[in-house]
Coordinates of all heavy atoms in Angstrom, one line a residue:
M1055 N -4.4 -5.5 -23.7 CA -4.5 -4.1 -23.2 C -5.9 -3.7 -23.0 O -6.2 -2.9 -22.1 CB -3.8 -3.2 -24.3 CG -2.3 -3.5 -24.4 SD -1.4 -3.6 -22.8 CE -1.6 -1.9 -22.3
T1056 N -6.8 -4.2 -23.9 CA -8.2 -3.8 -23.6 C -8.7 -4.4 -22.3 O -9.4 -3.7 -21.5 CB -9.1 -4.4 -24.8 OG1 -8.6 -3.9 -26.0 CG2 -10.6 -4.0 -24.6
G1057 N -8.4 -5.7 -22.0 CA -8.8 -6.3 -20.8 C -8.1 -5.6 -19.6 O -8.7 -5.4 -18.5
F1058 N -6.8 -5.1 -19.8 CA -6.1 -4.4 -18.7 C -6.8 -3.1 -18.4 O -7.0 -2.8 -17.2 CB -4.7 -4.1 -19.2 CG -3.9 -3.3 -18.3 CD1 -3.4 -3.8 -17.1 CD2 -3.7 -1.9 -18.5 CE1 -2.6 -3.0 -16.2 CE2 -2.9 -1.1 -17.7 CZ -2.4 -1.7 -16.5
G1059 N -7.2 -2.4 -19.4 CA -7.9 -1.1 -19.2 C -9.3 -1.3 -18.5 O -9.6 -0.6 -17.6
L1060 N -10.0 -2.4 -18.9 CA -11.3 -2.6 -18.3 C -11.1 -3.1 -16.8 O -11.8 -2.6 -15.9 CB -12.0 -3.7 -19.0 CG -12.5 -3.4 -20.4 CD1 -13.1 -4.6 -21.1 CD2 -13.6 -2.3 -20.3
G1061 N -10.1 -3.9 -16.6 CA -9.8 -4.3 -15.2 C -9.4 -3.2 -14.3 O -9.9 -3.1 -13.1
I1062 N -8.5 -2.3 -14.8 CA -8.1 -1.2 -13.9 C -9.3 -0.2 -13.7 O -9.4 0.3 -12.6 CB -7.0 -0.4 -14.6 CG1 -5.7 -1.3 -14.7 CG2 -6.6 0.9 -13.9 CD1 -5.2 -1.7 -13.4
G1063 N -10.1 0.0 -14.7 CA -11.3 0.8 -14.5 C -12.2 0.2 -13.5 O -12.8 1.0 -12.6
L1064 N -12.4 -1.1 -13.5 CA -13.3 -1.7 -12.6 C -12.8 -1.7 -11.1 O -13.5 -1.4 -10.2 CB -13.5 -3.2 -13.0 CG -14.4 -4.0 -12.1 CD1 -15.8 -3.4 -12.1 CD2 -14.5 -5.5 -12.6
V1065 N -11.5 -1.9 -11.0 CA -10.9 -1.9 -9.6 C -10.9 -0.4 -9.1 O -11.1 -0.2 -7.9 CB -9.5 -2.5 -9.6 CG1 -8.4 -1.6 -10.2 CG2 -9.1 -2.9 -8.2
T1066 N -10.6 0.5 -9.9 CA -10.7 1.9 -9.5 C -12.1 2.3 -9.0 O -12.2 3.0 -8.0 CB -10.2 2.9 -10.6 OG1 -8.9 2.5 -11.1 CG2 -10.2 4.3 -10.2
L1067 N -13.1 1.9 -9.8 CA -14.4 2.2 -9.4 C -14.8 1.5 -8.0 O -15.4 2.1 -7.2 CB -15.4 1.7 -10.5 CG -16.9 1.9 -10.2 CD1 -17.2 3.4 -10.0 CD2 -17.7 1.3 -11.3
T1068 N -14.4 0.2 -7.9 CA -14.7 -0.5 -6.7 C -14.0 0.1 -5.4 O -14.7 0.3 -4.4 CB -14.1 -1.9 -6.8 OG1 -14.8 -2.6 -7.9 CG2 -14.5 -2.8 -5.6
I1069 N -12.7 0.5 -5.6 CA -12.0 1.2 -4.4 C -12.7 2.5 -4.1 O -12.8 2.9 -2.9 CB -10.5 1.3 -4.8 CG1 -9.9 -0.1 -4.8 CG2 -9.8 2.2 -3.7 CD1 -8.4 -0.1 -5.2
S1070 N -13.0 3.3 -5.1 CA -13.7 4.6 -4.9 C -15.0 4.4 -4.1 O -15.3 5.2 -3.2 CB -13.9 5.3 -6.2 OG -12.6 5.5 -6.9
L1071 N -15.8 3.5 -4.6 CA -17.1 3.2 -3.9 C -16.9 2.7 -2.5 O -17.6 3.1 -1.5 CB -17.9 2.3 -4.7 CG -18.4 2.8 -6.1 CD1 -19.2 1.7 -6.8 CD2 -19.3 4.0 -5.9
A1072 N -15.9 1.8 -2.3 CA -15.6 1.3 -1.0 C -15.2 2.3 0.0 O -15.6 2.4 1.2 CB -14.6 0.1 -1.1
R1073 N -14.3 3.2 -0.5 CA -13.8 4.3 0.4 C -14.9 5.3 0.8 O -15.0 5.8 1.9 CB -12.7 5.1 -0.3 CG -11.4 4.4 -0.4 CD -10.3 5.3 -1.0 NE -9.0 4.8 -0.9 CZ -7.9 5.3 -1.5 NH1 -8.1 6.4 -2.2 NH2 -6.7 4.8 -1.3
A1074 N -15.9 5.5 -0.1 CA -17.0 6.4 0.2 C -17.9 5.8 1.2 O -18.5 6.5 2.0 CB -17.8 6.7 -1.1
R1075 N -18.1 4.4 1.2 CA -19.0 3.8 2.1 C -18.3 3.2 3.4 O -19.0 3.2 4.4 CB -19.6 2.6 1.3 CG -20.4 3.0 0.1 CD -21.8 3.6 0.5 NE -22.6 3.9 -0.6 CZ -23.8 4.4 -0.6 NH1 -24.4 4.6 0.6 NH2 -24.5 4.6 -1.6
L1076 N -17.0 2.9 3.3 CA -16.3 2.3 4.4 C -15.1 3.1 4.7 O -14.1 3.0 4.1 CB -15.9 0.8 4.0 CG -17.1 -0.1 3.6 CD1 -16.5 -1.4 3.0 CD2 -18.0 -0.4 4.7
P1077 N -15.2 3.9 5.7 CA -14.0 4.8 6.1 C -12.8 4.0 6.5 O -11.7 4.5 6.3 CB -14.5 5.6 7.3 CG -16.0 5.5 7.2 CD -16.3 4.2 6.6
N1078 N -12.9 2.8 7.0 CA -11.8 2.0 7.4 C -11.1 1.2 6.3 O -10.1 0.5 6.5 CB -12.2 0.9 8.5 CG -12.5 1.6 9.8 OD1 -11.8 2.6 10.2 ND2 -13.5 1.1 10.5
Y1079 N -11.7 1.3 5.1 CA -11.2 0.5 4.0 C -9.8 1.0 3.6 O -9.6 2.2 3.3 CB -12.1 0.6 2.8 CG -11.8 -0.2 1.6 CD1 -11.9 -1.6 1.6 CD2 -11.3 0.3 0.4 CE1 -11.6 -2.4 0.6 CE2 -11.0 -0.5 -0.7 CZ -11.1 -1.8 -0.6 OH -10.8 -2.6 -1.7
A1080 N -8.8 0.1 3.6 CA -7.5 0.4 3.3 C -7.0 -0.2 2.0 O -6.7 -1.4 1.9 CB -6.5 -0.1 4.4
A1081 N -7.1 0.6 0.9 CA -6.6 0.2 -0.4 C -6.2 1.4 -1.2 O -6.9 2.4 -1.1 CB -7.6 -0.6 -1.1
M1082 N -5.1 1.3 -1.9 CA -4.7 2.5 -2.7 C -3.9 1.9 -3.9 O -3.2 0.9 -3.8 CB -3.8 3.4 -1.9 CG -2.6 2.8 -1.3 SD -1.7 3.9 -0.2 CE -1.2 5.2 -1.4
I1083 N -4.1 2.6 -5.1 CA -3.5 2.2 -6.3 C -2.3 3.1 -6.6 O -2.5 4.4 -6.6 CB -4.5 2.2 -7.5 CG1 -5.6 1.2 -7.2 CG2 -3.8 1.8 -8.8 CD1 -6.7 1.3 -8.3
G1084 N -1.2 2.6 -6.8 CA 0.0 3.4 -7.1 C 0.7 2.9 -8.4 O 0.2 2.0 -9.1
F1085 N 1.8 3.5 -8.7 CA 2.4 3.1 -10.0 C 2.9 1.7 -10.0 O 2.7 1.0 -11.0 CB 3.7 4.0 -10.1 CG 4.5 3.6 -11.3 CD1 4.2 4.0 -12.6 CD2 5.7 2.9 -11.1 CE1 5.0 3.6 -13.7 CE2 6.5 2.5 -12.2 CZ 6.1 2.9 -13.5
W1086 N 3.4 1.2 -8.8 CA 3.9 -0.2 -8.8 C 2.7 -1.2 -8.9 O 2.9 -2.3 -9.5 CB 4.7 -0.5 -7.6 CG 4.0 -0.6 -6.3 CD1 3.6 0.4 -5.5 CD2 3.5 -1.8 -5.7 NE1 2.9 0.0 -4.4 CE2 2.8 -1.4 -4.5 CE3 3.6 -3.1 -6.0 CZ2 2.2 -2.3 -3.7 CZ3 3.0 -4.0 -5.2 CH2 2.3 -3.7 -4.0
N1087 N 1.5 -0.9 -8.4 CA 0.4 -1.7 -8.6 C 0.1 -1.9 -10.1 O -0.1 -3.0 -10.6 CB -0.9 -1.2 -7.9 CG -0.7 -0.9 -6.5 OD1 -0.2 0.2 -6.1 ND2 -1.0 -1.9 -5.6
L1088 N 0.0 -0.7 -10.8 CA -0.3 -0.8 -12.2 C 0.8 -1.5 -13.0 O 0.5 -2.2 -13.9 CB -0.5 0.7 -12.7 CG -1.6 1.5 -12.1 CD1 -1.6 2.9 -12.6 CD2 -2.9 0.8 -12.3
A1089 N 2.1 -1.2 -12.7 CA 3.2 -1.8 -13.4 C 3.2 -3.3 -13.2 O 3.4 -4.1 -14.2 CB 4.5 -1.2 -12.9
L1090 N 2.9 -3.8 -12.0 CA 2.9 -5.2 -11.8 C 1.7 -5.9 -12.6 O 1.9 -6.9 -13.2 CB 2.7 -5.5 -10.3 CG 2.6 -7.0 -9.9 CD1 3.9 -7.7 -10.2 CD2 2.3 -7.1 -8.4
A1091 N 0.6 -5.3 -12.5 CA -0.6 -5.8 -13.3 C -0.3 -5.8 -14.8 O -0.6 -6.8 -15.5 CB -1.8 -5.0 -13.0
L1092 N 0.3 -4.8 -15.3 CA 0.6 -4.7 -16.7 C 1.6 -5.8 -17.1 O 1.5 -6.4 -18.1 CB 1.2 -3.3 -17.0 CG 1.6 -3.1 -18.5 CD1 0.4 -3.3 -19.4 CD2 2.2 -1.7 -18.7
V1093 N 2.7 -6.0 -16.3 CA 3.7 -7.0 -16.6 C 3.0 -8.4 -16.6 O 3.3 -9.2 -17.5 CB 4.8 -6.9 -15.6 CG1 5.7 -8.2 -15.7 CG2 5.7 -5.7 -15.8
M1094 N 2.2 -8.6 -15.6 CA 1.5 -10.0 -15.6 C 0.6 -10.2 -16.8 O 0.5 -11.3 -17.3 CB 0.8 -10.1 -14.3 CG 1.7 -10.3 -13.1 SD 0.9 -10.8 -11.6 CE 2.2 -11.3 -10.5
V1095 N -0.1 -9.1 -17.2 CA -1.0 -9.2 -18.4 C -0.2 -9.5 -19.6 O -0.6 -10.3 -20.5 CB -1.8 -7.9 -18.5 CG1 -2.4 -7.8 -19.9 CG2 -2.9 -7.9 -17.5
L1096 N 0.9 -8.8 -19.8 CA 1.8 -9.1 -20.9 C 2.3 -10.5 -20.9 O 2.5 -11.1 -22.0 CB 2.9 -8.1 -21.0 CG 2.5 -6.6 -21.2 CD1 3.7 -5.7 -21.2 CD2 1.8 -6.5 -22.6
I1097 N 2.6 -11.0 -19.7 CA 3.1 -12.4 -19.6 C 2.0 -13.4 -20.0 O 2.2 -14.4 -20.8 CB 3.5 -12.7 -18.2 CG1 4.8 -12.0 -17.9 CG2 3.8 -14.2 -18.0 CD1 5.3 -12.1 -16.4
I1098 N 0.7 -13.1 -19.6 CA -0.4 -13.9 -20.0 C -0.6 -13.9 -21.5 O -0.8 -14.9 -22.2 CB -1.7 -13.4 -19.3 CG1 -1.7 -13.6 -17.8 CG2 -3.0 -14.0 -20.0 CD1 -2.9 -13.1 -17.1
A1099 N -0.4 -12.7 -22.1 CA -0.6 -12.6 -23.6 C 0.6 -13.3 -24.3 O 0.3 -14.0 -25.3 CB -0.5 -11.1 -24.0
A1100 N 1.8 -13.2 -23.7 CA 2.9 -13.9 -24.4 C 2.8 -15.4 -24.3 O 3.0 -16.1 -25.3 CB 4.2 -13.5 -23.6
I1101 N 2.4 -16.0 -23.1 CA 2.2 -17.4 -23.0 C 1.1 -17.9 -23.9 O 1.2 -18.9 -24.6 CB 2.0 -17.8 -21.6 CG1 3.2 -17.5 -20.7 CG2 1.6 -19.3 -21.4 CD1 3.0 -17.7 -19.2
S1102 N -0.1 -17.2 -23.9 CA -1.2 -17.6 -24.8 C -0.8 -17.5 -26.2 O -1.1 -18.5 -27.0 CB -2.4 -16.6 -24.5 OG -2.8 -16.6 -23.2
S1103 N 0.0 -16.5 -26.6 CA 0.4 -16.4 -28.0 C 1.4 -17.5 -28.4 O 1.3 -18.0 -29.5 CB 1.1 -15.0 -28.2 OG 0.2 -14.0 -27.9
W1104 N 2.2 -17.9 -27.5 CA 3.2 -18.9 -27.8 C 2.6 -20.3 -28.2 O 3.0 -20.9 -29.2 CB 4.1 -19.1 -26.6 CG 5.3 -20.1 -26.8 CD1 6.4 -19.9 -27.6 CD2 5.4 -21.4 -26.3 NE1 7.2 -21.0 -27.5 CE2 6.6 -22.0 -26.8 CE3 4.5 -22.2 -25.5 CZ2 7.0 -23.3 -26.5 CZ3 4.9 -23.5 -25.2 CH2 6.2 -24.0 -25.7
F1105 N 1.6 -20.7 -27.4 CA 0.9 -21.9 -27.8 C 0.2 -21.8 -29.1 O 0.2 -22.7 -30.0 CB -0.1 -22.3 -26.7 CG 0.6 -22.9 -25.5 CD1 0.7 -22.1 -24.3 CD2 1.1 -24.2 -25.5 CE1 1.3 -22.6 -23.2 CE2 1.7 -24.7 -24.3 CZ 1.8 -23.9 -23.2
A1106 N -0.5 -20.6 -29.3 CA -1.2 -20.4 -30.6 C -0.2 -20.4 -31.8 O -0.5 -20.9 -32.8 CB -2.0 -19.1 -30.5
I1107 N 0.9 -19.7 -31.6 CA 1.9 -19.6 -32.7 C 2.4 -21.0 -33.1 O 2.6 -21.3 -34.3 CB 3.0 -18.6 -32.3 CG1 2.5 -17.2 -32.3 CG2 4.2 -18.8 -33.2 CD1 3.5 -16.2 -31.7
R1108 N 2.7 -21.8 -32.1 CA 3.2 -23.1 -32.4 C 2.2 -23.9 -33.2 O 2.6 -24.6 -34.2 CB 3.5 -23.9 -31.1 CG 4.7 -23.4 -30.3 CD 5.0 -24.3 -29.1 NE 5.2 -25.7 -29.6 CZ 5.3 -26.7 -28.8 NH1 5.1 -26.6 -27.5 NH2 5.6 -27.9 -29.2
R1109 N 1.0 -23.8 -32.9 CA -0.1 -24.5 -33.7 C -0.2 -24.0 -35.1 O -0.3 -24.7 -36.0 CB -1.4 -24.3 -32.9 CG -2.5 -25.2 -33.6 CD -2.3 -26.7 -33.3 NE -3.3 -27.5 -33.8 CZ -3.4 -28.0 -35.1 NH1 -2.4 -27.7 -35.9 NH2 -4.4 -28.7 -35.5
V1110 N -0.2 -22.6 -35.3 CA -0.4 -22.0 -36.6 C 0.8 -22.3 -37.5 O 0.7 -22.6 -38.7 CB -0.6 -20.5 -36.4 CG1 -0.5 -19.8 -37.8 CG2 -1.9 -20.2 -35.8
L1111 N 2.0 -22.3 -37.0 CA 3.2 -22.5 -37.8 C 3.3 -23.9 -38.4 O 4.0 -24.2 -39.3 CB 4.5 -22.2 -37.0 CG 4.7 -20.7 -36.7 CD1 6.0 -20.5 -35.9 CD2 4.7 -19.8 -37.9
K1112 N 2.6 -24.9 -37.7 CA 2.6 -26.3 -38.2 C 1.6 -26.5 -39.4 O 1.5 -27.6 -39.9 CB 2.3 -27.2 -37.1 CG 3.4 -27.3 -36.0 CD 3.0 -28.2 -34.9 CE 4.0 -28.2 -33.8 NZ 3.7 -29.1 -32.7
I1113 N 0.8 -25.4 -39.7 CA -0.2 -25.6 -40.7 C 0.4 -25.7 -42.1 O 1.3 -25.0 -42.4 CB -1.2 -24.4 -40.7 CG1 -1.9 -24.3 -39.3 CG2 -2.2 -24.5 -41.8 CD1 -2.8 -23.0 -39.2
E1114 N -0.1 -26.7 -42.8 CA 0.3 -26.8 -44.2 C -1.0 -26.5 -45.1 O -2.0 -27.1 -44.9 CB 0.8 -28.2 -44.6 CG 2.1 -28.5 -43.9 CD 3.2 -27.7 -44.4 OE1 3.1 -27.1 -45.5 OE2 4.2 -27.5 -43.7
P1115 N -0.9 -25.5 -46.0 CA -2.1 -25.1 -46.8 C -2.7 -26.3 -47.5 O -3.9 -26.4 -47.7 CB -1.5 -24.1 -47.8 CG -0.3 -23.5 -47.1 CD 0.3 -24.6 -46.3

Side-chain angles (χ1 to χ4, degrees):
M1055 296 310 297
T1056 303
F1058 174 77
L1060 292 174
I1062 294 299
L1064 181 60
V1065 75
T1066 302
L1067 178 62
T1068 302
I1069 291 176
S1070 299
L1071 292 176
R1073 282 182 172 178
R1075 298 284 183 176
L1076 304 171
N1078 286 325
Y1079 185 72
M1082 56 186 298
I1083 299 177
F1085 173 78
W1086 72 274
N1087 304 88
L1088 299 178
L1090 179 63
L1092 178 60
V1093 169
M1094 289 191 168
V1095 164
L1096 293 177
I1097 293 175
I1098 290 175
I1101 295 176
S1102 302
S1103 301
W1104 184 72
F1105 286 104
I1107 288 170
R1108 287 187 61 191
R1109 187 70 179 88
V1110 167
L1111 292 181
K1112 293 179 181 178
I1113 298 174
E1114 292 296 337

